[in-house]
Amino acid sequence: MAPEEFEQGESGVPATVYVREIAAADVFEQVLPGNAIEIDGVTLEPDQQLYAIHDEDGRRVGLFADRDAAFAAARWHGAAPVSVH
């Protein structure tokens, strides 16, 4: 996630981003059910819950293992995160 992803609007208000829970299997479509995914030494199980950050257009711009990290990253990059269910 790059800081320029969340530029402030004309009013100076931080961009709103949305944090929602998703299954790891939804992120990695090529994974067969029941198989784990390993990326850079981190193992994800298909049924593991992750937290995705989406910009105002719905584009996924970040992926985190826990909700607190997702919110902290969004704030760090100047965005105003809200939870979506």
Side-chain angles (χ1 to χ4, degrees):
M1 204 170 27
E4 61 272 10
E5 293 285 347
F6 307 122
E7 293 180 11
Q8 294 183 352
E10 292 177 20
S11 64
V13 175
T16 300
V17 296
Y18 305 93
V19 177
R20 74 178 187 99
E21 191 173 15
I22 60 173
D26 293 341
V27 176
F28 302 97
E29 293 175 304
Q30 71 275 15
V31 174
L32 298 173
N35 290 347
I37 307 158
E38 185 171 343
I39 300 172
D40 294 332
V42 175
T43 301
L44 299 175
E45 297 294 335
D47 60 346
Q48 181 177 346
Q49 293 303 302
L50 302 173
Y51 293 85
I53 297 177
H54 297 267
D55 66 11
E56 292 175 333
D57 295 326
R59 182 175 51 127
R60 186 172 44 229
V61 296
L63 190 61
F64 297 85
D66 68 59
R67 185 179 182 277
D68 291 340
F71 271 76
R75 288 187 190 106
W76 177 262
H77 289 283
V82 295
S83 185
V84 177
H85 302 283

